[in-house]
Amino acid sequence: MSFYEVYNQYKNMDFEGYFSKLTENDIHRIINKDKISALEFLALLSPVAKGSLELMARKANVLTKQNFGKAMILYTPLYLGNYCVNQCAYCGFNVNNPIPRKKLALDEVELEAKAIADTGLRHILILTGESRKGTSVDYIEECVKVINKYATVSIEIYPLEQEEYERLIKAGVDGLTLYQEVYNEQIYDEIHIRGPKKDYLNRLNAPERACKAKMRNVNIGALLGLDDWEKEAFFTGLHGQYLQDKYADTEISVSLPRMRPHAGAFTPKVNVDDKSFVQIMLALRLFMPRAGITISTREEPEFRENVLPLGVTKMSAGTTTAVGGRTQKEDTVQFDTSDKRTVDEIKEMLLSKGYQPVFKDWQLL
Amino acid sequence: MSDIFRIGDKALNSRLFIGTGKFPRKPMIQEVIESSKSEVVTVALRRIDFDVKEENVLTYIPESCVLMPNTSGARNADEAVRIAKLARAAGCGNWIKIEVIADNKYLLPDNLETLKATEILVKEGFVVLPYMSPDLAMAKRMEDVGAAAVMPLGAPIGSNRGIKTKELVRILIDEIKVPIIVDAGIGKPSEAAEAMEMGCDAVLVNTAIATAANPVQMGRAFALAVEAGRQAYLAGTAVETQYANASSPLTGFLD
């Protein structure tokens, strides 16, 4: 049994037909329930539910406060390298994009980690492109050991085998971020033109392999814009619930990455407007009250502030998507960020909004 | 009347323990400690940043308070033991609240792993307060291996649902000799008072205070409620009865 079976169970369902039968009353009834089923979650993603966003927001706010309090966990990404063998239509690291390729040497990794720690942050998300040669598991393991002197580490790298996750956990990794990009299998195949990433199932099952390896946190998501957001958000929620039900000792969280401009020209299939984005966040919070929800600097500062009370538990701050972007030239960005505020500025903003910025959320054992 | 509460080698005036998570800003913790007159404060080691004074939650806890680090994040006994040792090595004293949770959906404790960690840490000289689901057999074992108190949950963490486990907690109060401290679930001062009236020795409150519109005022409200409940317990609450006490008793003719 893997999440693929759950996906197959719903992939051909008549979403439009289901949405067309829903009434405002149905939505209100669902909002008032303690526990929401998969189809009820889908109802919250429907066009009808758009009329009840305020009601959903009030409940989401209460649930978030109750489960996570007035605290916001902060982290920042550190790009170790941008070597990539994949040809993904939407990505700036696409093997065909003529950008400079590099990876950080261990002493450069340490400089970056130190620069980050100096801002007060104590959690780092390390990223690479997909290249087992350019940025091997051995290399990542060494990097983790270096960074652990300054911060705890999560990884956002290519999918690994369970034994490899176990190795990295032992080295000090406590979280995995891995986006399916798009759950729609057909679109997945179309936009992942060439490279190992073309293997849909390998990617789909990677978060579960990390759970089996006893990863503390697993963060999933769909790159919003690649297919109808209602379906993609639905499958993201189902995937999260599947993992949470099966691996209760792993903390499951969800990101809502919206497509951003990048090197190369790719037009998103779907435009996910702010209202729809908020609807996704609220539906997820009501469906999974205990799940973390991450909002990155892909989003505009004002928008990030506005959605704070709606379910967000984790934010990135002081980000750059360039390899070594804090201590070297920023000539390798994966995509442009919208919120360019410093860590101090984010911290002040959170305090002024009544949120405690949390820099450290795990103690290495 | 003096009503000192003893745990380990500490004598406490307050029976309200507070948590430090979920507050809108760290300095508020100090204000809440003052308003609630709490003398035992639990802190998740995972969130203590020892490097930056302003970010270090310990900065806001007066030295007069007993620090009770907790093992939040531990998924088994081994992790709890390691966290406890790290806390002690970092200068957080030798009290430890064991929290072993391998269930992120409901945040319910794993009693068996908690027991294992309790046994190990007692032997290492810690004052151990295990957070647990209220189960008599387990509580007895915790007591047998040397727990300084047991901390049954009233309802799941953060749920603010009150003492839903009342009947089970009542049995612990009757049967367990070490102090019973209700931890988790208490959402309102009246529920804290209820726990104290029942005969609990203390309560631990975090979410209900930290996420109140005015946490400082709520801290004081809880202090008053805990005090009222305790006084009521000591005074001996009147017996509840289903029938009215008629002024002309039905059996008066027998006199």
Side-chain angles (χ1 to χ4, degrees), chain A residues 66 216 245 248 356 360-361, chain B residues 22-23 48 73 104-105 158:
Chain A
Q66 202 178 316
R216 305 192 74 84
D245 284 349
Q356 178 198 150
K360 176 174 177 261
D361 188 43
Chain B
K22 301 185 174 179
F23 280 93
I48 305 178
N104 279 296
K105 265 174 89 178

Side-chain angles (χ1 to χ4, degrees), chain A residues 230-279:
Chain A
E230 295 88 342
K231 296 179 199 167
E232 288 298 304
F234 178 56
F235 287 120
T236 306
L238 289 184
H239 196 181
Q241 193 195 44
Y242 168 85
L243 295 172
Q244 199 170 60
D245 284 349
K246 215 163 158 187
Y247 306 95
D249 55 352
T250 295
E251 282 177 31
I252 304 299
S253 53
V254 178
S255 288
L256 308 171
R258 264 200 289 195
M259 295 210 63
R260 294 281 310 154
H262 65 98
F266 176 82
T267 316
K269 178 177 176 248
V270 175
N271 176 38
V272 183
D273 60 14
D274 287 356
K275 211 168 177 182
S276 306
F277 186 97
V278 165
Q279 187 176 357

Side-chain angles (χ1 to χ4, degrees), chain A residues 177-193:
Chain A
T177 289
L178 193 100
Y179 301 146
Q180 184 57 28
E181 318 295 12
V182 61
Y183 283 91
N184 183 318
E185 197 173 358
Q186 195 190 330
I187 296 178
Y188 186 95
D189 191 59
E190 286 161 24
I191 58 179
H192 297 103
I193 301 157

Side-chain angles (χ1 to χ4, degrees), chain B residues 112-124:
Chain B
L112 183 58
E113 291 293 308
T114 304
L115 174 67
K116 285 186 205 163
T118 301
E119 183 165 18
I120 295 167
L121 291 168
V122 167
K123 283 182 185 151
E124 301 254 353

Side-chain angles (χ1 to χ4, degrees), chain A residues 39-56:
Chain A
L39 284 179
E40 287 168 338
F41 167 52
L42 180 59
L44 296 180
L45 294 163
S46 70
V48 185
K50 257 214 169 69
S52 303
L53 287 190
E54 180 56 29
L55 215 54
M56 285 165 73

